[in-house]
Amino acid sequence: MACSMATRVALYEAGVSASFCEVDPKTKLTLDGQRYLDIHPLGLVPALRTDDDQLITENAAILQYVARRFPDAQLAPSDELGVARLQQWLCFIGTELHKAVFAPLLNPHAADAVKQYSLDKAAARLALLERHLQDREFLLDRFSVADAYLVTVLGWAVVTPIKLADYPALTRYLTALRTRPSVAKALAEEQRLYGLELARHRAA
Amino acid sequence: MACSMATRVALYEAGVSASFCEVDPKTKLTLDGQRYLDIHPLGLVPALRTDDDQLITENAAILQYVARRFPDAQLAPSDELGVARLQQWLCFIGTELHKAVFAPLLNPHAADAVKQYSLDKAAARLALLERHLQDREFLLDRFSVADAYLVTVLGWAVVTPIKLADYPALTRYLTALRTRPSVAKALAEEQRLYGLELARHRAA
């Protein structure tokens, strides 16, 4: 259910095989027993290891890498302005939504003042998205990796004080995207894994 | 001196002409009298208006647009892995440094708890960069728009509690880059404009 779910959606869209390896957020161990901090010193997911053993980190970079590697899936535009618009949305979601609003709200160790500071930023950012999605099915003209990222981030609202119901276009967008096969499959898989993680933590 | 300075550096590197329009951070008016919130509802700089009247926002998108539009300046790699590495650094600087660490530290309205939360994130992120730049002149094999962004962001440290002197590789990188003609010219120009802005605010 972390932002790495966006990459899972993109890989399902492309219909390619990939090995997924879960990182326990508490122990920072992968479920096959590696210290994830040896792989990524900040412990952030996702990290993608390519077939030729290159490690790529940072969500926007990985999503665009997947889109370029599997062009048949049409997960990113290729015209000059389309590329700029895709990068604009990926950057907006990563900086203004994910890091500025949601990351502190989801952090159990963040003080109330920190959460309030982030919450104060939410309305203007969600209103901008609400206007953009008013008469659109996707952020761009068709589904792209930016939608894979946005559907993941908006899904976090339910465990924060943010009420998505106040944003009808966003609610409609999220509801519709969750019926898309790649998103539905990724969500079901990650919900199952999240349930197992909670059970593991209870047992520990 | 905002993150829009990175775009100025990139345009100077490309040697192309562009009109720059300053936004007063207090009034959110442009110096030629437009309401900037009508141009960008969040009031964030930079925003780039192209010759065919398209408005592009978000730093990482604008920097990559400039790099693609002026390929002779070689401001971005074109090979598959190089593109991924560029996007990885742009995303890291934008999310982990700019938004997670520096934006709250630079905000005069952020509470002490918010600033401390951001400051606590600084060491691990700067240490990651320090290791990467240990034996490198640039983030990638040659100067790229990611360096234009990083030199801008690291320049902010001086008005925060972050001591760049604790990071010798970062200090050397920043010192060297500031002698690069595009960076030196952008810095001199923005320092001049910043001085005028402070004088305007004092007079107001």
Side-chain angles (χ1 to χ4, degrees):
Chain A
M1 311 289 280
C3 73
S4 48
M5 195 179 89
T7 300
R8 188 189 287 274
V9 169
L11 290 165
Y12 288 171
E13 285 281 335
V16 295
S17 73
S19 307
F20 296 93
C21 187
E22 187 179 343
V23 181
D24 188 291
K26 283 200 176 163
T27 63
K28 294 287 180 192
L29 295 173
T30 66
L31 289 207
D32 60 1
Q34 303 170 73
R35 280 170 36 98
Y36 188 63
L37 294 175
D38 292 342
I39 298 169
H40 189 320
L42 300 182
L44 301 170
V45 292
L48 179 78
R49 195 173 295 281
T50 67
D51 290 339
D52 45 356
D53 208 28
Q54 295 290 334
L55 190 79
I56 304 174
T57 58
E58 297 294 334
N59 217 2
I62 293 172
L63 289 171
Q64 290 181 90
Y65 177 84
V66 170
R68 274 194 310 279
R69 269 296 303 277
F70 307 106
D72 290 351
Q74 296 186 272
L75 295 171
S78 54
D79 62 296
E80 187 177 75
L81 189 64
V83 172
R85 291 277 173 252
L86 175 75
Q87 293 175 341
Q88 180 176 314
W89 285 115
L90 286 173
C91 188
F92 174 83
I93 300 165
T95 57
E96 299 305 324
L97 287 186
H98 182 174
K99 287 292 156 170
V101 172
F102 281 99
L105 291 178
L106 296 172
N107 183 345
H109 307 297
D112 285 349
V114 174
K115 288 186 195 288
Q116 190 57 50
Y117 180 81
S118 297
L119 200 54
D120 289 346
K121 296 193 173 301
R125 283 146 185 84
L126 293 173
L128 183 155
L129 264 183
E130 174 77 7
R131 276 192 302 278
H132 181 72
L133 289 170
Q134 206 71 57
D135 47 10
R136 287 171 185 272
E137 197 179 346
F138 306 112
L139 286 166
L140 306 176
D141 290 339
R142 49 175 298 143
F143 182 86
S144 73
V145 287
D147 296 301
Y149 195 5
L150 184 56
V151 75
T152 301
V153 169
L154 290 180
W156 299 334
V158 69
V159 290
T160 73
I162 294 169
K163 288 188 184 59
L164 273 196
D166 295 344
Y167 304 92
L170 282 184
T171 302
R172 181 185 43 70
Y173 167 86
L174 187 61
T175 306
L177 266 191
R178 282 179 166 170
T179 67
R180 192 174 173 92
S182 63
V183 177
K185 186 181 165 191
L187 208 51
E189 179 62 8
E190 301 236 345
Q191 278 169 339
R192 188 184 69 79
L193 292 170
Y194 184 56
L196 292 173
E197 178 191 308
L198 292 180
R200 239 180 11 251
H201 288 170
R202 273 195 303 270
Chain B
M1 311 289 282
C3 73
S4 48
M5 194 180 89
T7 299
R8 187 190 287 272
V9 169
L11 290 164
Y12 288 171
E13 285 281 334
V16 295
S17 72
S19 308
F20 297 93
C21 187
E22 186 179 343
V23 181
D24 188 290
K26 283 199 176 164
T27 64
K28 294 287 180 192
L29 295 174
T30 66
L31 290 206
D32 60 0
Q34 303 169 74
R35 281 171 36 99
Y36 189 62
L37 294 175
D38 292 343
I39 297 168
H40 189 321
L42 300 182
L44 302 171
V45 292
L48 179 78
R49 195 172 298 280
T50 67
D51 290 341
D52 46 355
D53 209 26
Q54 295 290 334
L55 190 80
I56 304 174
T57 60
E58 297 295 334
N59 216 0
I62 292 171
L63 289 171
Q64 290 180 91
Y65 177 85
V66 170
R68 273 194 311 279
R69 270 295 303 275
F70 307 107
D72 289 351
Q74 295 186 270
L75 295 171
S78 54
D79 62 296
E80 187 177 77
L81 189 63
V83 172
R85 292 278 172 252
L86 175 74
Q87 292 175 342
Q88 180 177 313
W89 285 115
L90 286 173
C91 187
F92 174 83
I93 300 164
T95 57
E96 299 305 324
L97 288 186
H98 182 174
K99 287 294 156 169
V101 172
F102 282 99
L105 291 178
L106 297 172
N107 183 345
H109 307 297
D112 286 347
V114 174
K115 289 186 194 288
Q116 190 57 52
Y117 179 80
S118 297
L119 200 54
D120 289 346
K121 294 193 174 301
R125 281 146 186 84
L126 293 173
L128 183 155
L129 264 183
E130 174 77 8
R131 276 192 303 278
H132 181 73
L133 290 170
Q134 206 72 57
D135 48 9
R136 288 170 183 273
E137 197 179 346
F138 306 112
L139 286 166
L140 306 177
D141 291 338
R142 50 175 297 143
F143 182 85
S144 72
V145 287
D147 296 301
Y149 195 4
L150 184 56
V151 75
T152 302
V153 169
L154 290 180
W156 299 333
V158 69
V159 290
T160 73
I162 294 169
K163 289 187 184 59
L164 273 197
D166 295 343
Y167 304 91
L170 282 184
T171 302
R172 181 185 44 70
Y173 167 87
L174 188 59
T175 306
L177 267 189
R178 281 178 166 170
T179 67
R180 193 176 173 92
S182 62
V183 177
K185 185 180 166 193
L187 208 51
E189 178 63 7
E190 301 236 344
Q191 276 168 339
R192 189 183 69 79
L193 293 170
Y194 184 56
L196 292 174
E197 178 191 307
L198 292 180
R200 236 177 17 248
H201 288 171
R202 272 195 303 270

